[in-house]
Amino acid sequence: TRTYEVGRLTLHGPINSLVIAGLELSLDDVLVRIPEPSAATLGGLGLLSYAWIDDPQWLLLSMVGVGFAWASILSLPYALLSDSVPAAKMGVYMGIFNFFIVIPQLVAVATLGYLLKHLFADDPSKILVLGGASMVVAGLCVLRVPEPAAHAA
């Protein structure tokens, strides 16, 4: 089997994939019920906890928080947007929205290597803390998105 090292955690290829796939299937109903701000906050806390957890086995608990965030990141932004834009212009707005996904990724690729080396002293765990703080802020920002009139209770 292949072994992958990610920071302080060693993953064993096929076994790790099967465990994660099983968790995704068994938690599917739970993930749908967690609101976006809570999911982003759980993910942020999961990444932030990486800086304080020394035992690699406990990092799996951190990744549970990241998994909740990942599940919501894949679908909820599109659901929030689709409820807020006119149906006739849905494709245009989705395309523009994708710019706001891709451009930050390109900025991260262009800058995080430099920041890691010069600002974070080649310590990748500090980049995870930055990502965790960003996810918590993102969860707070989602609270400002108004509910569409049809869904307001």
Side-chain angles (χ1 to χ4, degrees):
T1 59
R2 293 178 128 173
T3 300
Y4 304 95
E5 288 193 29
V6 180
R8 294 178 276 179
L9 181 65
T10 302
L11 306 175
H12 302 284
I15 294 170
N16 183 61
S17 298
L18 290 173
V19 169
I20 290 177
L23 284 173
E24 287 176 6
L25 291 174
S26 64
L27 292 175
D28 194 36
D29 291 332
V30 175
L31 296 177
V32 172
R33 295 184 194 125
I34 295 177
E36 174 70 22
S38 300
T41 302
L42 285 171
L45 294 174
L47 287 178
L48 286 169
S49 69
Y50 190 87
W52 294 282
I53 294 177
D54 292 325
D55 183 3
Q57 297 302 320
W58 281 103
L59 288 176
L60 293 173
L61 183 62
S62 295
M63 292 302 107
V64 168
V66 173
F68 283 113
W70 185 251
S72 71
I73 287 168
L74 292 178
S75 61
L76 284 178
Y78 294 98
L80 291 170
L81 181 65
S82 68
D83 286 341
S84 303
V85 299
K89 297 281 186 177
M90 184 73 66
V92 172
Y93 284 105
M94 289 292 182
I96 293 169
F97 178 71
N98 278 325
F99 288 144
F100 292 97
I101 295 171
V102 173
I103 291 171
Q105 290 174 340
L106 294 174
V107 170
V109 165
T111 61
L112 284 178
Y114 178 83
L115 291 176
L116 177 63
K117 185 174 184 175
H118 294 15
L119 187 62
F120 296 126
D122 280 332
D123 184 2
S125 66
K126 292 179 181 171
I127 294 288
L128 290 176
V129 170
L130 176 64
S134 298
M135 288 181 80
V136 170
V137 169
L140 294 173
C141 288
V142 171
L143 293 173
R144 297 183 45 91
V145 176
E147 285 283 328
H151 295 328

